[in-house]
Amino acid sequence: MSFIEDIKARARADKKRIVLAEGMDKRVWEAIETIVKEDIADITVIASADEVEENRREGIDYSKIKIIDPATSHKTDKYATDLAELRRRKGVTYEMAHKLLVNEYVQYACMMLREGEADGVVSGACHSSASTLRPALQLIKAKPDAELVSAFFIVCVPDCEFGYNGTFVFADCGLEQNPDSEKLAAIAIDSARTFRELVEAEPVVALLSHSSYGSAKHPDVDKVQRAVDIAKEKAPDLKLDGEFQLDTAIVPEVGAFKAPGSTVAGHANVLVFPNLDAGNIGYKLVQRLAKAEAYGPVTQGMRKPVNDLSRGCSASDIVGVVAITAVQAQLAAKNSFDK
């Protein structure tokens, strides 16, 4: 069974309430058709009546989804009151909150999640990452034990001998612009946990650089080396090493040559990039040139899952992120952060 089919099966076994916050996008409705047919999650879509009609699909059983228009919903007034109170110190009034909820659907979706009326949110198909992640960080916030919130992609490369049967976690590819050594170490440790939870296999973590074991000298290399030391101190049982060039990290022969004695070199399935530029470019290269499936950017470190989409995503990408979000919601429920 492929990674995504396994994730769908896990989502199906304990269905969660997932909100899709972009009812104005036809790809979202195409994804909803598949999600309903495959019984992956209980879907709420935020959309106006005009947006529903404009994107109507004959294949959707509309009795199995919930459609909410913030402009007419009886919950909007309550959400506006609560949002204004939450953001009072930032100068947000009831009127401002009401306008936000009606015009920025992801704000409404995050309030649903905060109020316990949903288990996860997916957005970003036609909005920037900031539009999705800013309200999530403001309203949902990080887990109590999280050092930071970061973003990753699950990348599944067809017919690939590297990684875990071609499956990798790439991080951070969507949120932390230029993490320092401490943040990079936290991203590495969180990404290992994510790999173990979602892929259900042992993570092997490589922190990437343009250098392998000191082959180049530069402050950027020093940053990654310090991150490796910090991560090893905090998670001594984790298979983690670096700094590695990409081929050193995933190709056994190259790893053995450039980093002899490392148990990680040549075998990595979790790739931690030194900055957002490298991570974003890296995942898109693999996705487009290797025709890989790339699901994300998915957040890690949140109390409840709010996940982003690439604006270049397909309907099948949205289905995959919804399934991943549902499994994250299952895990969040087990951890009971709200208790």
Side-chain angles (χ1 to χ4, degrees), residues 21-331:
E22 293 172 307
M24 71 291 293
D25 193 296
K26 65 180 180 180
R27 294 167 296 175
V28 168
W29 292 95
E30 186 180 345
I32 289 170
E33 183 174 344
T34 299
I35 293 163
V36 171
K37 285 179 179 177
E38 297 188 12
D39 201 27
I40 294 168
D42 293 326
I43 290 295
T44 296
V45 59
I46 311 296
S48 69
D50 287 345
E51 288 162 347
V52 174
E53 191 57 36
E54 182 180 345
N55 293 285
R56 182 164 291 279
R57 295 179 66 87
E58 294 302 320
I60 296 177
D61 183 347
Y62 285 85
S63 69
K64 293 186 177 180
I65 64 173
K66 182 184 291 186
I67 300 170
I68 294 178
D69 181 354
T72 59
S73 172
H74 69 282
K75 291 287 182 71
T76 303
D77 285 346
K78 180 182 185 305
Y79 286 172
T81 300
D82 292 347
L83 179 57
E85 178 59 27
L86 287 167
R87 304 287 292 159
R88 175 172 51 86
R89 292 185 179 180
K90 297 295 183 180
V92 176
T93 64
Y94 169 85
E95 290 76 16
M96 293 165 64
H98 195 281
K99 184 176 180 180
L100 273 175
L101 291 167
V102 170
N103 292 292
E104 298 185 19
Y105 291 172
V106 71
Q107 294 273 355
Y108 192 99
C110 285
M111 286 302 295
M112 288 184 66
L113 186 58
R114 182 182 175 88
E115 301 278 336
E117 295 181 11
D119 301 306
V121 171
V122 175
S123 186
C126 55
H127 293 88
S128 69
S129 292
S131 297
T132 296
L133 298 178
R134 186 184 301 114
L137 293 169
Q138 291 169 347
L139 300 177
I140 308 303
K141 303 186 182 300
K143 294 187 293 187
D145 61 345
E147 291 189 36
L148 79 168
V149 175
S150 58
F152 65 90
F153 274 81
I154 297 281
V155 178
C156 303
V157 186
D159 303 317
C160 179
E161 62 193 285
F162 306 126
Y164 181 74
N165 299 323
T167 297
F168 297 85
V169 162
F170 284 21
D172 183 326
C173 301
L175 191 56
E176 280 290 332
Q177 183 71 47
N178 190 22
D180 60 20
S181 297
E182 288 75 17
K183 287 183 176 181
L184 207 56
I187 290 167
I189 293 168
D190 287 349
S191 298
R193 183 184 301 115
T194 288
F195 188 91
R196 186 178 286 112
E197 290 177 343
L198 295 182
V199 183
E200 296 186 308
E202 183 181 20
V204 183
V205 186
L207 281 81
L208 300 181
S209 173
H210 67 277
S211 168
S212 291
Y213 271 8
S215 63
K217 305 298 181 184
H218 191 275
D220 289 346
V221 176
D222 297 339
K223 178 183 84 167
V224 179
Q225 290 172 340
R226 286 194 300 271
V228 171
D229 291 340
I230 294 166
K232 284 184 174 181
E233 182 176 347
K234 290 185 174 181
D237 296 330
L238 191 61
K239 282 191 175 180
L240 177 148
D241 206 356
E243 87 288 5
F244 290 150
Q245 294 162 302
L246 187 278
D247 56 354
T248 307
I250 67 170
V251 181
E253 297 81 6
V254 178
F257 177 70
K258 291 187 177 182
S262 173
T263 59
V264 171
H267 306 285
N269 49 39
V270 176
L271 303 179
V272 179
F273 292 83
N275 57 48
L276 188 58
D277 287 336
N280 190 271
I281 292 166
Y283 102 77
K284 288 182 185 291
L285 274 171
V286 176
Q287 180 187 31
R288 299 302 179 181
L289 299 185
K291 295 181 169 51
E293 298 170 358
Y295 301 104
V298 180
T299 59
Q300 54 190 2
M302 297 286 292
R303 282 179 175 267
K304 298 179 180 180
V306 179
N307 290 325
D308 195 15
L309 295 161
S310 169
R311 281 174 289 173
C313 68
S314 66
S316 64
D317 294 334
I318 299 172
V319 174
V321 172
V322 166
I324 291 168
T325 305
V327 172
Q328 286 184 310
Q330 294 170 0
L331 294 165

